Amino acid sequence: MIFEPTRIEGLWKIGIERHIDNRGSFGRLFCRDEFSARGLCADFVQMNSSRTARAGTVRGMHLQLPPHMEVKLVRCIRGAIEDVVCDLRSASPSYLQKESFVLDADDDRLLYIPTGCAHGFQTLTDDVEVFYAMSHVFSPGSGTGIRFDDPALNIVWPLPVTCISQQDRTWPPYRAAAFSLP
Ligand SMILES: Cc1cn([C@H]2C[C@H](O)[C@@H](COP(=O)(O)OP(=O)(O)O[C@H]3O[C@@H](C)C(=O)[C@@H](O)[C@H]3O)O2)c(=O)[nH]c1=O
């Protein structure tokens, strides 16, 4: 696995190293020892899938607050997405910075998203599936979000937003005080 740091503290792009032969290829998506050796979380407790029908759909920006913060390992396994991560840890050197990545089924990359970061994506194609491994169980009471068009984040989505959930359309305006994150 190839670990590539990003501008956001603790956010990694992880390339899948493939062993190629005449049948095709084989590569690891996760390795406890390689993650642990880099000080990354190696304890994932849920694996999730989201399927999205139409291009232009936005899901996010989401995170779970203490004591249920979660690391996410994200891979697009069908179609393509613009994936966005924003650092909300006030003590972080990359506080309020954001990074965007195009992920698709062929690019052989995952994102390792640390705790304390809001995450979301927009589908760039129809018929998208995103796979997640999570370090914490789903805890609806600890879940929160920031609106996709909140001026504090100023995210430029590549497509017009064609579909978004009622919840994601109505997150309150970002206030740092609402996010007390280590
Ligand atoms: C996230 C989640 C949702 N659900 C349920 C709640 C709800 O009924 C239904 C759909 O949930 P949501 O609308 O929150 O799904 P969605 O908007 O796709 O939520 C996801 O968005 C992306 C951006 C992330 O980063 C993920 O961590 C997750 O928050 O699935 C679970 O049972 N377990 C889970 O882990």
Side-chain angles (χ1 to χ4, degrees):
M1 307 180 83
I2 302 160
F3 292 79
E4 200 184 323
T6 68
R7 282 189 295 114
I8 292 183
E9 186 80 5
L11 171 66
W12 293 82
K13 283 190 279 190
I14 302 176
I16 301 165
E17 274 182 300
R18 293 208 170 255
H19 303 272
I20 297 170
D21 61 28
N22 61 343
R23 298 165 302 173
S25 70
F26 182 94
R28 290 182 196 165
L29 303 184
F30 168 72
C31 170
R32 185 193 59 200
D33 293 353
E34 287 190 68
F35 274 47
S36 298
R38 285 172 176 77
L40 305 185
C41 171
D43 186 12
F44 291 92
V45 299
Q46 280 191 355
M47 293 186 192
N48 302 329
S49 148
S50 74
R51 291 180 174 167
T52 305
R54 294 283 169 245
T57 303
V58 167
R59 293 179 185 251
M61 303 289 296
H62 299 162
L63 73 162
Q64 285 191 173
L65 297 172
H68 302 301
M69 295 196 302
E70 57 193 356
V71 171
K72 300 176 187 178
L73 197 56
V74 178
R75 178 154 195 244
C76 180
I77 59 174
R78 192 164 62 247
I81 60 172
E82 172 101 347
D83 201 273
V84 182
V85 179
C86 180
D87 188 351
L88 299 180
R89 301 160 294 182
S90 54
S92 163
S94 46
Y95 177 52
L96 282 189
Q97 287 184 34
K98 56 187 186 289
E99 283 250 53
S100 302
F101 309 88
V102 174
L103 302 179
D104 68 39
D106 296 323
D107 72 358
D108 259 359
R109 280 188 305 169
L110 301 103
L111 282 185
Y112 175 99
I113 303 173
T115 61
C117 291
H119 170 250
F121 63 85
Q122 183 175 43
T123 51
L124 301 177
T125 62
D126 290 347
D127 191 21
V128 166
E129 182 162 0
V130 175
F131 163 88
Y132 304 82
M134 318 293 281
S135 71
H136 202 286
V137 293
F138 179 52
S139 176
S142 299
T144 188
I146 301 178
R147 235 180 43 221
F148 70 104
D149 59 353
D150 193 303
L153 306 193
N154 195 24
I155 298 167
V156 179
W157 299 100
L159 300 179
V161 176
T162 54
C163 183
I164 187 163
S165 70
Q166 175 65 15
Q167 174 175 255
D168 286 350
R169 192 183 297 129
T170 52
W171 293 116
Y174 175 70
R175 285 184 311 111
F179 297 87
S180 176
L181 297 166

